């Protein structure tokens, strides 16, 4: 099968890797140096029409869209118009991620459990509401922020500063939410709009510093699977995944692609923190190495509305991801740092998240630079392998958390 993966980060590297494992001819645009070792990297303008034309010209069997911005730009819509199957939601369906105010209203319409909230399109009413909130309170930028754009405000001054920052942008919106307590977990559903298959649950670590301190990032590490009870899983299926897919169908915008449910396991049951409309990053780097079945075939089946959930099979082991980030991340990451990578041993991968190559030298080229991933029979074993490999990478000034898995007491020796 001829597969085109769109994107340039660690998630796309993991998607390419999963497709190549099953013998498919994979191309990627814009790609990165790690992807180039596995697949053809194609040069193209990155607007929706140009990417759809590229898929036609390359006789692509299925397009897999990685980042959310491409979904919001209508890449799936453009591919569909040209008769190319594309895995991902349409522009309209991707509102579940791209417009948090719309997403929250959708959840309320369809009885999907989530935190109490109010949405705002101007600063004054948002400030007045925030001042009346019980602390801590959660301030979210309503637009696409690549996994960031969230402030857990411990005092009213912090909430006000976050809102003022959001409303410096023209056309901005904000959502102010009640703070939820519990374990946070992500479950991804591969769906054809009606049928779906769940990935193993995983848990990301969002803040830059150990102990969940510091500013939010796009994600600093993942453990998978994260334990949920049978009762919790049934609630997630019935009250969140199935209600969401049914609600999208009822509103005339069926969701095909990856429905990412970011959840809080509260004392009242699982509740939605946020929906994303694509594979999580770095969750994909943890989940996809555990996939035993054929990702490319699943994406084609889903794009055609023909997914057979029984064919989606994951292994029994565990996976862990440790992100190596550039100095200065997330505020002002330093680029151009020389990188030297060891050969990844069996059961490990080094996914390129933000790299470039110049004159044969691999360089850092983003905030999150590398996703060091490992699989083992259990989570402590996977973390030990991931940290051992991370320690062999020459990356001056790298930031990485040494407590991935700490919420389950999976500390590294």
């Amino acid at each position: 099968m001829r597969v085109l993966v769109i994107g340039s980060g660690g998630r796309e590297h993991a998607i390419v890797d999963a497709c190549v494992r099953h013998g498919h001819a994979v191309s990627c645009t814009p790609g990165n140096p790690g992807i180039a070792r596995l697949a053809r990297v194609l040069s193209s303008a990155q607007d929706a029409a140009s990417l759809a034309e590229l898929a036609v010209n390359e006789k692509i069997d299925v397009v897999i869209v990685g980042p959310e911005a491409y979904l919001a730009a209508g890449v799936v819509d453009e591919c569909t118009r040209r008769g190319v199957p594309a895995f991902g939601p349409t522009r309209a369906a991707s509102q579940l991620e791209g417009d948090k105010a719309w997403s929250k209203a959708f959840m309320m319409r369809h009885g999907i459990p989530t935190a109490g909230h109010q949405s705002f399109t101007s600063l004054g009413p948002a400030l007045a509401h925030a001042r009346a909130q019980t602390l801590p309170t959660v301030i979210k930028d309503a637009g696409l922020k690549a996994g960031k754009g969230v402030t857990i405000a411990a005092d009213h001054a912090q909430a006000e500063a976050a809102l003022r920052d959001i409303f410096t942008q023209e056309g901005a919106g904000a959502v102010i939410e009640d703070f939820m307590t519990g374990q946070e977990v992500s479950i991804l559903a591969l769906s054809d709009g009606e049928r779906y298959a769940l990935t193993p649950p995983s848990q990301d670590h969002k803040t830059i510093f150990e102990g969940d301190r510091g500013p939010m990032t796009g994600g600093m590490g993942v453990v998978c699977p994260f334990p949920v009870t049978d009762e919790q899983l049934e609630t997630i299926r019935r009250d969140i995944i199935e209600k969401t897919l049914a609600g999208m169908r009822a509103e005339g915008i069926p969701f095909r692609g990856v429905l990412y449910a970011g959840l809080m396991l509260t004392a009242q049951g699982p509740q939605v923190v946020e929906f994303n409309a694509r594979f999580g990053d770095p969750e994909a780097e943890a989940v996809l190495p555990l996939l035993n079945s054929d990702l490319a075939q699943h994406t084609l089946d889903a794009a055609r509305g023909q997914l057979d959930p029984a064919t989606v099979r994951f292994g029994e082991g565990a996976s862990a991801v440790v992100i190596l980030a550039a100095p200065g991340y997330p505020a002002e990451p330093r680029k151009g740092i020389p990188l030297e990578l060891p050969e990844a041993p069996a059961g490990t991968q080094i996914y390129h998240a933000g790299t470039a190559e110049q004159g044969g030298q691999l360089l850092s080229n983003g905030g999150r630079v590398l996703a060091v991933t490992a699989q083992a029979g259990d989570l402590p074993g996977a973390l030990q392998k991931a940290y051992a490999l991370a320690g062999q990478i020459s990356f001056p000034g790298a930031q990485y958390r040494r407590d991935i898995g700490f919420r389950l007491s999976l500390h590294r020796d």
Side-chain angles (χ1 to χ4, degrees):
M1 188 186 306
R2 291 183 294 274
V3 180
L4 175 63
V5 177
I6 295 175
S8 62
R11 164 184 46 220
E12 290 74 44
H13 194 171
I15 292 169
V16 167
D17 185 35
C19 294
V20 168
R21 286 202 306 268
H22 285 267
H24 300 294
V26 183
S27 302
C28 184
T29 184
N32 66 41
I35 290 171
R37 289 166 172 77
L38 295 175
R40 284 196 311 153
V41 170
L42 303 177
S43 177
S44 172
Q46 296 296 297
D47 62 281
S50 297
L51 291 166
E53 282 301 313
L54 177 68
V56 170
N57 294 337
E58 293 291 327
K59 297 181 172 56
I60 295 300
D61 295 304
V62 64
V63 174
I64 304 175
V65 182
E68 58 274 24
Y70 290 91
L71 298 169
V75 169
V76 170
D77 308 66
E78 291 291 337
C79 288
T80 302
R81 286 191 193 103
R82 290 162 174 77
V84 180
F87 181 71
T90 61
R91 186 203 304 260
S94 72
Q95 288 179 97
L96 266 181
E97 175 173 9
D99 186 338
K100 292 183 180 64
W102 186 93
S103 183
K104 283 289 188 178
F106 171 87
M107 287 185 248
M108 297 303 292
R109 288 196 297 275
H110 295 282
I112 297 164
T114 190
H117 64 279
Q118 291 285 334
S119 299
F120 300 90
T121 56
S122 59
L123 178 61
L127 288 174
H129 183 77
R131 292 179 188 125
Q133 293 307 290
T134 301
L135 297 170
T137 190
V138 181
I139 311 295
K140 292 184 177 180
D141 191 314
L144 285 174
K145 299 299 289 184
K148 299 183 277 292
V150 177
T151 299
I152 299 173
D155 54 49
H156 290 117
Q158 192 177 9
E160 179 174 335
L163 287 167
R164 290 188 181 281
D165 183 58
I166 289 169
F167 284 104
T168 57
Q169 310 158 60
E170 186 175 350
V175 177
I176 302 177
E177 291 186 359
D178 296 343
F179 179 74
M180 294 188 287
T181 59
Q183 289 277 11
E184 198 164 350
V185 63
S186 302
I187 291 187
L188 284 60
L190 281 68
S191 178
D192 65 1
E194 184 172 356
R195 292 163 291 274
Y196 67 92
L198 297 184
T199 68
S202 60
Q203 186 178 72
D204 191 11
H205 298 62
K206 284 290 188 184
T207 59
I208 186 67
F209 299 128
E210 290 154 23
D212 288 343
R213 296 177 300 107
M216 290 287 187
T217 73
M220 292 297 294
V222 180
V223 289
C224 178
F226 185 85
V228 300
T229 67
D230 290 343
E231 181 181 4
Q232 288 169 330
L233 187 58
E234 177 57 28
T235 299
I236 292 164
R237 284 183 176 276
R238 181 188 64 239
D239 293 344
I240 295 174
I241 302 299
E242 291 172 9
K243 280 188 177 181
T244 300
L245 294 175
M248 295 295 279
R249 292 195 303 273
E251 298 201 8
I253 45 175
F255 189 100
R256 290 180 175 175
V258 176
L259 176 64
Y260 170 120
L263 309 171
M264 189 71 74
L265 303 179
T266 74
Q268 294 73 42
Q271 298 193 44
V272 177
V273 175
E274 64 175 356
F275 282 126
N276 291 335
R278 36 69 189 184
F279 280 111
D281 189 352
E283 289 92 344
E285 291 95 306
V287 168
L288 290 179
L290 296 176
L291 180 66
N292 289 338
S293 52
D294 187 341
L295 177 65
Q297 187 64 54
H298 300 326
T299 62
L300 178 59
D301 292 344
R304 289 173 168 169
Q306 300 170 346
L307 181 68
D308 179 359
T311 66
V312 182
R313 300 182 304 277
F314 288 89
E316 294 295 324
S319 185
V321 176
V322 176
I323 295 293
L324 300 190
Y329 180 71
E332 296 181 4
R334 187 175 141 212
K335 298 182 180 180
I337 300 170
L339 308 172
E340 298 294 337
L341 306 186
E343 192 71 30
T348 68
Q349 303 82 26
I350 302 173
Y351 292 124
H352 291 226
T355 66
E357 203 162 49
Q358 185 175 329
Q361 173 64 61
L362 188 66
L363 303 171
S364 69
N365 193 43
R368 294 182 298 168
V369 178
L370 299 167
V372 182
T373 305
Q375 296 79 51
D378 56 24
L379 282 170
L383 282 161
Q384 183 179 29
K385 288 171 68 175
Y387 275 114
L389 182 55
Q392 298 175 39
I393 295 173
S394 175
F395 180 0
Q399 299 185 83
Y400 66 96
R401 286 182 55 162
R402 292 162 176 80
D403 67 343
I404 302 303
F406 82 98
R407 299 186 197 102
L408 293 172
S409 299
L410 299 173
H411 293 293
R412 182 169 60 109
D413 293 331

